[in-house]
Amino acid sequence: MKRIKEISVAIQGIATCFHEVAAHTYFGKGIKTVECLSFHALCESLKKEETDFAVMAIENSIAGSILPNYFLLQEYHFSIVGELYVPIHMHLLALPGVELTDLTLIESHPMAIRQCSEFLHSLNNVTIVESEDTALSARHVMELQRKNVAAIANEFAAKKFGLQILKRRIETHKKNFTRFLVLTRKQPVAELGNKASLYFEVSHSIGSLADILTNFKKNQLNLTKIQSIPIIGRPQEYLFHVDVEWRDRSGFEKSIKQVSKHVGNLNVLGEYKKGKIEIN
């Protein structure tokens, strides 16, 4: 009997991080996750065919867009084959027996720190340190065995590294979620797709972007995201990343055909089924 190849998925972070949660949520438990300590390393893993897919965070409902990842999407030309929205619950983790007043240092990923800014600003005499990953920060607390150090991470990390949850749900807004993209090297045939991500540049003239957005409207496309990215070496000029949804794919096909005549550097990064937002 032929053995089915195990799917490998690149994640940014180590085991129990939110990227691993996203990977298992999308693909199920029967996958191999490959730990990458940076988004660049994640892209390199997929490019070098060390993994079949990659899961990449692209925006958070509190902290906003992860701008460097838009540059990576342009650089690597991967295909987006799916998306998912993962509820993000942030907890303050420390060694057992530690009190909040014992802390002088809290470590976590920059996006996690931004999501918990209101809580962190309420603390006195505590230094905030950025790290590569939330779960890695939790592991550091376990390894250091210092009662003055804590990490911001999830409940899975607390269990794995034997830490207590000193404070639960410290994110600034409780309806907090992160949007993740599922990437692959190949461009598959879209099945039941109703959303697409693309980018383009427009002429540096009055109304040029408005004309493109009006075209989307005429063809019954719902614009769900627009993000401008500076074009390096060309001051005051930008690429625009947009996400659009549709009920009838023919409207998307018609719009792309029309828009391509009026924009430069048009790239469709992928067509896929839009993810559901389920916040708890």
Side-chain angles (χ1 to χ4, degrees), residues 76-91:
Y76 283 91
H77 302 290
F78 295 137
S79 295
I80 301 172
V81 294
E83 69 170 3
L84 69 159
Y85 295 85
V86 176
I88 304 295
H89 300 160
M90 295 293 188
H91 308 305

Side-chain angles (χ1 to χ4, degrees), residues 17-58:
C17 70
F18 288 106
H19 274 78
E20 185 180 64
V21 172
H24 285 304
T25 300
Y26 189 86
F27 291 100
K29 295 297 182 182
I31 62 171
K32 174 187 176 184
T33 55
V34 177
E35 300 173 353
C36 306
L37 291 186
S38 70
F39 287 112
H40 181 268
L42 176 147
C43 290
E44 283 294 304
S45 175
L46 185 57
K47 176 185 176 181
K48 294 176 180 178
E49 302 186 17
E50 297 169 351
T51 50
D52 303 306
F53 297 92
V55 171
M56 173 191 279
I58 196 69

Side-chain angles (χ1 to χ4, degrees), residues 12 18-19 38-40 42-43 55-74 84 88 90 109-112 114-115 132 176-181 225-230 241 243:
Q12 193 273 309
F18 288 106
H19 274 78
S38 70
F39 287 112
H40 181 268
L42 176 147
C43 290
V55 171
M56 173 191 279
I58 196 69
E59 64 179 303
N60 174 263
S61 57
I62 298 175
S65 297
I66 306 176
L67 294 180
N69 288 358
Y70 282 94
F71 287 100
L72 290 174
L73 290 176
Q74 293 171 192
L84 69 159
I88 304 295
M90 295 293 188
H109 188 276
M111 290 296 286
R114 287 172 64 183
Q115 291 168 49
E132 299 95 332
N176 182 30
F177 62 85
T178 294
R179 178 187 177 213
F180 293 85
L181 301 178
K225 174 78 175 182
I226 181 167
Q227 180 68 58
S228 61
I229 301 294
H241 281 251
D243 298 329

Side-chain angles (χ1 to χ4, degrees), residues 189-245:
V189 177
E191 296 181 6
L192 302 177
N194 56 0
K195 187 172 183 177
S197 295
L198 55 143
Y199 67 82
F200 54 83
E201 59 181 284
V202 297
S203 61
H204 194 48
S205 58
I206 296 174
S208 57
L209 177 59
D211 290 341
I212 302 304
L213 301 184
T214 299
N215 180 281
F216 291 157
K217 178 182 178 181
K218 288 180 178 179
N219 286 290
Q220 300 297 303
L221 300 182
N222 181 30
L223 181 70
T224 61
K225 174 78 175 182
I226 181 167
Q227 180 68 58
S228 61
I229 301 294
I231 300 176
I232 298 174
R234 291 161 59 183
Q236 296 187 323
E237 294 189 40
Y238 298 85
L239 279 173
F240 292 92
H241 281 251
V242 301
D243 298 329
V244 292
E245 299 175 359

Side-chain angles (χ1 to χ4, degrees), residues 1-7 30 32:
M1 182 176 179
K2 186 176 180 180
R3 184 178 178 181
I4 299 175
K5 180 180 178 293
E6 184 180 42
I7 293 176
K32 174 187 176 184

